[in-house]
Amino acid sequence: MRSLQECQAEVFRRSEKRIRARRRAIRAVMVCVPLVLCITAFSLFVLPGPADTSDGSGAKNDAASPPPSICRIDVSGVGQVTSITDEGRICAITDALAALNNSPGAELSDGSDTAGAEGRTITLLAPDGPQAVYRLTDDTLTNVTTGSAMALTREQSAALFALLAPEAAENP
């Protein structure tokens, strides 16, 4: 049989064990909480966030917006050259081009079919020079940079021509 002192020693040993476990848990929390706060502050203040590409209407453009490196679009054809610098129009045009390039359409083998056709040349310009060049005719969009061409429907072609028209700047 155990004596009273042995029983008391056993109780004290078990309570010391619980106290040490509780202290370890408190230390872990006290280390992790400041660490999480530091990482959050770092990500908010140091890492770049998504750019605010709102066009003044209060609605932000979606992730398909052009990269911020496109600063101007030159449209040449029909005897004139138009430079587009309005961010809203740049976003709309590049979104339309990206949608047409990514759509599962009838892709032509090369752009040689539209070499003589009258159309417009769309040049996307970055601060360091041309980024991409497209050739738009009535029924074909050719990426001159990559050499690929895509057949367009009448609606797609009309929508893209409407975005490129100089009147589109006056009547958004």
Side-chain angles (χ1 to χ4, degrees):
M1 187 167 220
R2 294 184 350 189
S3 69
L4 181 60
Q5 285 83 16
E6 289 175 345
C7 289
Q8 284 178 337
E10 180 71 22
V11 168
F12 288 135
R13 193 176 99 275
R14 287 182 184 175
S15 31
E16 283 296 320
K17 201 175 187 181
R18 282 192 216 128
I19 290 170
R20 273 186 259 138
R22 194 175 299 141
R23 283 182 182 159
R24 265 184 284 178
I26 290 172
R27 277 189 220 125
V29 168
M30 292 186 69
V31 168
C32 291
V33 167
L35 182 64
V36 168
L37 289 175
C38 289
I39 291 172
T40 303
F42 177 78
S43 67
L44 289 175
F45 295 116
V46 177
L47 295 177
D52 181 16
T53 56
S54 60
D55 57 0
S57 65
K60 290 187 178 182
N61 295 320
D62 59 353
S65 296
S69 62
I70 296 175
C71 62
R72 187 178 86 212
I73 296 178
D74 286 343
V75 181
S76 59
V78 195
Q80 67 181 18
V81 176
T82 305
S83 290
I84 300 170
T85 56
D86 177 48
E87 287 184 31
R89 286 189 67 203
I90 289 174
C91 288
I93 292 169
T94 53
D95 285 348
L97 290 172
L100 290 173
N101 281 331
N102 296 331
S103 68
E107 191 158 321
L108 303 174
S109 58
D110 58 18
S112 61
D113 299 350
T114 63
E118 186 176 323
R120 296 193 182 170
T121 302
I122 308 161
T123 307
L124 305 178
L125 295 164
D128 55 349
Q131 187 171 1
V133 179
Y134 294 90
R135 178 90 177 131
L136 176 65
T137 59
D138 288 334
D139 60 350
T140 306
L141 176 67
T142 305
N143 186 335
V144 178
T145 308
T146 62
S148 63
M150 181 182 148
L152 300 177
T153 64
R154 288 183 185 171
E155 292 80 18
Q156 291 171 326
S157 179
L160 198 50
F161 272 110
L163 284 172
L164 298 173
E167 301 82 34
E170 299 164 7
N171 302 321

